[in-house]
């Protein structure tokens, strides 16, 4: 597993900017869901975005991924203004997003699912009735991805027969197929039992350190294990930003967010 200096600020000056948000806002009618967000994420950084229900996390992800257009402000990715680009254009530049719900073909094998994901990145048309092995390059790439995530021995199984945690891993394999420069992970462990969540967290921590990762996650153990820096959203605004230790010890964060969670339990 890759070495990772969790809980430490790794913002070395030589690391360049990956993502910049400037004055980003989104209104839904009279509701201000995201308000004047300014954020910088460096290349190779692992950033968690946390916040209570309705804080604006999903809306912010949608603005970064291009699923929503901002009401105001700009999004730059690797020094390019991508504010008006559609999601597929952002994906071509290396910005990939996963979703909270699984988006696989349950009655197809694990390998077919990954091959479909891999070939979708290229123009070649997929014809499902010819043998899987004739997809040569895609086949090799899919096998390599499954191997990387420890799923190669499951390649012939139907997705619907796998535990939910492994289905999430397959989605991650497909997301990694495009060799993303920035990976947006939307609650990757949501709905997973504790054991599977731990396994997935280990996989996330071992991803290529060159890949920039922004993770929205309700489970604090996961968020604080994967991330080196944390941004806390509250009512659409940034309440705090810092290293995992700084955020854990931030009295304001404890009061409005971490404290609220404890009360809920
Ligand atoms: P959760 O943790 O519950 O997923 P969140 O932090 O992701 O919450 P958002 O889903 O971004 O929060 O929602 C922020 C606010 O914007 C909420 O008040 C929500 O009701 C509202 N909102 C989100 N999407 C829309 C929409 N399409 N139309 C109207 N209001 C919306």
């Amino acid at each position: 597993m890759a070495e990772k200096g969790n809980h430490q600020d790794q913002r070395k000056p030589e690391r360049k900017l990956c993502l910049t948000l400037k004055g980003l806002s989104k209104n839904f009618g009279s509701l201000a869901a995201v308000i004047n967000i300014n954020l910088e994420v460096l290349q190779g950084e692992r950033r968690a975005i946390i916040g209570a229900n309705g804080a604006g996390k999903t809306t912010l992800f949608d603005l970064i991924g291009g699923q929503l257009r901002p009401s105001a402000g700009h999004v730059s990715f690797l020094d390019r203004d991508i504010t008006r680009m559609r999601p597929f254009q952002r994906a071509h530049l290396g910005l990939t997003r996963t979703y909270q719900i699984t988006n696989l073909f349950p009655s197809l094998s694990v390998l077919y699912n990954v091959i479909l994901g891999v070939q979708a990145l290229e123009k070649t048309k997929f014809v499902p009735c010819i043998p899987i092995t004739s997809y040569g390059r895609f086949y090799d790439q899919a096998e390599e991805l499954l191997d990387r995530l420890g799923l190669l021995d499951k390649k012939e199984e139907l997705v619907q027969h796998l535990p939910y945690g492994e289905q999430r891993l397959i989605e991650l394999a497909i997301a990694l197929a495009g060799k993303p420069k920035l990976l947006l992970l939307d609650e990757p462990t949501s709905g997973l039992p504790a054991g599977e969540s731990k396994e997935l967290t280990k996989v996330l921590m071992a991803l290529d350190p060159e890949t920039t990762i922004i993770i929205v996650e309700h489970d604090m153990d996961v968020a604080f294990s994967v991330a080196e820096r944390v941004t806390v959203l509250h009512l659409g605004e940034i309440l705090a930003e810092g290293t995992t230790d700084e955020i854990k010890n931030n009295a304001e964060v404890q009061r409005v967010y971490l404290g609220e969670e404890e009360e809920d339990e």
Side-chain angles (χ1 to χ4, degrees), residues 4 6-11 38-41 45-51 57 60 213-233 238-250 253 257-258:
K4 225 192 67 53
N6 288 335
H7 315 302
Q8 283 169 25
D9 188 351
Q10 296 183 338
R11 289 171 78 92
N38 294 297
L39 186 86
E40 288 185 346
V41 178
E45 187 175 329
R46 286 10 187 5
R47 174 74 62 102
I49 296 176
I50 65 172
K57 306 179 296 293
L60 187 62
I213 297 176
I214 306 180
I215 177 172
V216 162
E217 183 56 66
H218 268 120
D219 183 326
M220 289 304 106
D221 288 339
V222 177
F224 285 60
S225 299
V226 173
E228 63 198 71
R229 285 183 79 79
V230 179
T231 299
V232 185
L233 286 187
I238 294 181
L239 174 78
E241 187 186 307
T243 63
T244 47
D245 284 340
E246 284 165 356
I247 294 301
K248 276 183 199 164
N249 296 320
N250 182 310
V253 174
Y257 180 52
L258 298 174

Side-chain angles (χ1 to χ4, degrees), residues 51-151:
N53 290 340
K57 306 179 296 293
T58 303
T59 306
L60 187 62
F61 247 33
D62 286 343
L63 294 172
I64 299 171
Q67 288 75 29
L68 285 175
R69 285 276 167 85
S71 307
H74 291 274
V75 181
S76 298
F77 174 55
L78 301 174
D79 289 331
R80 266 180 93 155
D81 189 322
I82 61 165
T83 314
R84 306 207 66 77
M85 281 188 193
R86 315 238 330 245
F88 76 90
Q89 294 171 308
R90 298 179 195 215
H92 276 302
L93 294 179
L95 195 162
T96 299
R97 174 177 179 182
T98 67
Y99 291 85
Q100 279 176 39
I101 46 157
T102 49
N103 210 4
L104 301 168
F105 297 99
S107 57
L108 293 182
S109 73
V110 169
L111 189 59
Y112 256 119
N113 267 275
V114 180
I115 286 177
L116 281 169
V118 169
Q119 68 88 38
L121 298 163
E122 307 208 13
K123 289 199 175 101
T124 312
K125 200 167 172 210
F126 187 76
V127 185
C129 53
I130 68 170
I132 199 168
T133 44
S134 54
Y135 283 97
R137 190 161 47 88
F138 299 139
Y139 182 97
D140 292 344
Q141 218 183 320
E143 280 210 328
E144 191 208 310
L145 284 162
L146 287 172
D147 192 26
R148 232 201 293 165
L149 299 188
L151 283 171

